[in-house]
Amino acid sequence: MPIDKARILNFMAEKAYRPLKIRELAKGMKIPEEHYRAFRRTVRSMLQEGSIVKIKKNRLGLPEKLNLVVGKLTLNKSGFGFVQAED
């Protein structure tokens, strides 16, 4: 059973009504225990690229569903910053 990014995104967009912990996500997607390690690696790469985000209490969600903006953060020496959206 291949664990691809599109399948994870599709599940999160259509079936996950709230942000989930990684174990909850795996259980909801019916990922067998022997494939869990590969699943976790795929989720980590998705976090790094920004297609999913980690919020408080280690829950995962889609930026679009959480009303978040994905972009580059630029900080100023004075302590404030700006987010330049990718879109």
Side-chain angles (χ1 to χ4, degrees):
M1 171 189 301
I3 301 167
D4 61 346
K5 295 176 182 183
R7 182 172 167 224
I8 294 170
L9 290 173
N10 186 40
F11 179 85
M12 292 180 80
E14 295 179 6
K15 304 255 190 320
Y17 58 91
R18 63 178 175 84
L20 301 170
K21 291 187 175 191
I22 192 165
R23 277 280 179 190
E24 294 171 331
L25 182 60
K27 185 177 180 182
M29 292 181 65
K30 297 179 173 61
I31 303 294
E33 192 64 36
E34 60 268 12
H35 296 287
Y36 180 72
R37 183 176 265 166
F39 172 76
R40 200 173 64 210
R41 279 193 301 269
T42 303
V43 168
R44 254 192 243 126
S45 74
M46 293 173 73
L47 283 166
Q48 287 179 339
E49 68 188 28
S51 56
I52 61 175
V53 293
K54 186 184 286 190
I55 59 172
K56 61 184 174 181
K57 297 186 181 178
N58 289 324
R59 297 193 180 272
L60 306 171
L62 297 174
E64 306 85 38
K65 287 183 86 174
L66 298 172
N67 201 20
L68 299 175
V69 177
V70 176
K72 182 178 179 180
L73 177 63
T74 307
L75 299 174
N76 189 307
K77 290 180 184 178
S78 301
F80 62 91
F82 299 96
V83 175
Q84 184 176 6
E86 284 183 359
D87 295 342

